[in-house]
Structure formats: structure tokens, C-alpha cells
Amino acid sequence: MSDGWHWTYEDARGAAMSGAQLVTTRFPTQSDAESWLGEQWRSLFAAGVAAVTLHHDDAAVYGPMVLSDGG
């Protein structure tokens, strides 16, 4: 059985981030994970997340992908 799709988070120095404000939910599909990120990236960026990586089970699919507000 699949562990699903999930995001990991990095700060501006590339260090892994964790904490209560960061969602560790596993999503059933890649589309669900990407849709969630599309809705939440501004909140993550405001919390200090500089980049995210998408994982399926324990394998990185892509990333780190830089978050930016364009400023």
C-alpha cells in the first residue's frame, strides 16, 4: 500500500523545516498534493518556507522548488 504523496520544506539556507504550522498530511494523488500547495504556498512562504520538495512514498519526485512572492 502506498504511503502517498507529501511535501517536505526547506528554509532559505536549505535546512529541513518542521513544526506545527507545516502540514505533514499525505495526499492520495499527486494532483491533490499540488492543488493543496497551490492554495497554501503563500502561508508557507510567510512561515519561512523557502522551498518545497514533493515525495511519493519516500522518493523525491521533484524539488526543491523555490517559493517566491515575486518581490
Side-chain angles (χ1 to χ4, degrees):
M1 182 168 176
S2 173
D3 286 333
W5 299 83
H6 67 280
W7 296 100
T8 55
Y9 312 98
E10 296 178 8
D11 65 17
R13 294 185 184 123
M17 294 180 68
S18 61
Q21 78 277 17
L22 301 177
V23 171
T24 57
T25 299
R26 304 245 175 185
F27 299 91
T29 68
Q30 181 175 355
S31 179
D32 289 336
E34 291 170 335
S35 292
W36 176 85
L37 182 65
E39 296 169 1
Q40 300 299 320
W41 74 267
R42 287 178 182 85
S43 297
L44 294 169
F45 185 75
V49 175
V52 295
T53 299
L54 181 63
H55 299 265
H56 183 241
D57 299 327
D58 290 326
V61 177
Y62 63 79
M65 180 173 63
V66 175
L67 302 181
S68 172
D69 66 356

